[in-house]
């Protein structure tokens, strides 16, 4: 069943601004991952954060995880037009044998 | 890392026909996953394809509708059978990284439209 829920569903910002997307989930997880999808094509893995980690950085990406609130956020700093894409969180749940993807946030970065 | 070649990239099909989607991986992998993404929606796992055994299907998906082949550790096919307009979706194959469910690598997807 679908579990991850991202918000907002859509986000429109200007180049140079920061973009923050949130993900909530319902059950215990082993890890949480963020993926990016350009124009309905294949997904690209961005970052993975484990259940015992609270924050992780990769380039302009910053991910936080709050297991007490069952939520995560993805921050993209100094956004670029090329960051325009849909972003999905996916949880590796302890009770399931596969990744559960959220509904995604559609990010539009205007030059 | 894994590089996945998926084809066709898109197709427009008539109701009642079948389409077979192919995925070729540049390395040997134990499990391959097939996902469906309906328009504007998230990804839903159809099945896990294991080499040497039958695929494991998720709730709501059946082998008669989505037969899967996995003849070796680098290749798999998904067939969408007896298509209807409701099957119009993006179909994606993927493989796992270090762990089966860590850092999935995806093919470029097959955009299917059924008329």
């Amino acid at each position: 069943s679908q579990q991850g829920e991202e918000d907002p569903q859509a986000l429109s910002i200007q180049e140079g601004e920061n973009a923050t997307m949130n993900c909530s989930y319902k059950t215990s997880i082993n890890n949480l991952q963020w993926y990016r999808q350009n124009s309905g094509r294949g997904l690209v893995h961005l970052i993975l954060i484990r259940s015992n980690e609270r924050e992780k950085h990769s380039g302009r990406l910053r991910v936080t995880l709050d297991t007490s609130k069952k939520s995560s956020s993805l921050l993209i700093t100094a956004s670029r037009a090329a960051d325009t894409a849909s972003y999905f969180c996916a949880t590796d749940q302890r009770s399931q044998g596969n990744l559960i993807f959220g509904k995604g946030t559609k990010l539009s970065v205007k030059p | 890392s894994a590089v996945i070649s998926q084809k066709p990239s898109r197709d427009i099909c008539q109701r009642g026909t079948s389409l077979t989607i192919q995925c070729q991986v540049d390395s040997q992998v134990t499990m391959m996953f097939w996902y469906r993404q309906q328009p504007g929606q998230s990804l839903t796992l159809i099945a896990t394809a294991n080499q040497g055994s039958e695929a494991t299907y998720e709730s709501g998906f059946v082998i008669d509708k989505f037969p899967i082949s996995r003849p070796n550790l680098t290749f798999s096919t998904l067939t969408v059978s007896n298509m209807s307009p409701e099957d119009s979706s993006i179909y994606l194959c993927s493989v796992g990284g270090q762990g089966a469910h860590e850092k999935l690598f995806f093919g470029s997807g097959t955009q299917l439209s059924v008329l």
Side-chain angles (χ1 to χ4, degrees):
Chain A
S1 62
Q2 296 296 332
Q3 175 166 267
E5 295 286 340
E6 287 97 329
D7 79 88
Q9 289 187 335
L11 179 62
S12 182
I13 59 175
Q14 294 294 133
E15 216 167 19
E17 294 180 340
N18 295 340
T20 299
M21 290 159 268
N22 302 297
C23 170
S24 61
Y25 57 93
K26 295 179 182 174
T27 62
S28 297
I29 61 171
N30 295 314
N31 65 64
L32 185 144
Q33 305 173 39
W34 286 90
Y35 290 81
R36 165 191 168 132
Q37 183 180 40
N38 284 73
S39 302
R41 307 309 292 175
L43 279 71
V44 175
H45 182 270
L46 295 176
I47 196 164
L48 179 153
I49 186 165
R50 299 192 186 281
S51 60
N52 62 352
E53 297 176 311
R54 292 296 167 259
E55 188 171 311
K56 207 160 183 180
H57 297 253
S58 177
R60 293 185 296 114
L61 305 181
R62 173 180 169 244
V63 169
T64 62
L65 179 64
D66 187 334
T67 52
S68 66
K69 294 182 180 178
K70 292 186 170 57
S71 68
S72 172
S73 67
L74 171 67
L75 168 67
I76 303 175
T77 60
S79 64
R80 305 166 182 168
D83 294 328
T84 295
S86 291
Y87 292 83
F88 294 89
C89 69
T91 50
D92 180 10
Q93 299 171 45
R94 293 175 186 171
S95 61
Q96 296 274 348
N98 57 72
L99 286 184
I100 305 296
F101 284 83
K103 294 182 179 179
T105 293
K106 193 168 185 178
L107 173 66
S108 175
V109 181
K110 299 179 180 177
Chain B
S1 66
V3 177
I4 304 173
S5 173
Q6 182 174 345
K7 58 182 180 181
S9 59
R10 62 176 64 235
D11 208 340
I12 301 172
C13 300
Q14 295 297 318
R15 181 194 297 260
T17 62
S18 298
L19 175 71
T20 295
I21 302 167
Q22 299 181 5
C23 267
Q24 178 76 50
V25 189
D26 67 344
S27 58
Q28 293 185 339
V29 293
T30 305
M31 290 192 286
M32 292 178 73
F33 307 100
W34 286 97
Y35 286 88
R36 181 177 74 181
Q37 186 179 24
Q38 293 176 303
Q41 300 298 313
S42 186
L43 279 72
T44 301
L45 182 65
I46 297 172
T48 301
N50 307 300
Q51 195 271 332
S53 63
E54 280 199 5
T56 305
Y57 288 83
E58 298 300 307
S59 176
F61 297 97
V62 295
I63 188 170
D64 289 346
K65 176 67 176 177
F66 297 101
I68 287 171
S69 78
R70 185 80 199 275
N72 56 54
L73 290 173
T74 64
F75 187 78
S76 179
T77 67
L78 169 76
T79 299
V80 187
S81 303
N82 188 25
M83 289 184 285
S84 66
E86 292 71 34
D87 294 319
S88 297
S89 296
I90 297 171
Y91 292 86
L92 297 142
C93 64
S94 72
V95 302
Q98 297 172 321
H101 306 296
E102 295 194 0
K103 193 175 181 179
L104 294 185
F105 299 93
F106 283 84
S108 55
T110 296
Q111 190 146 15
L112 172 62
S113 297
V114 184
L115 305 178

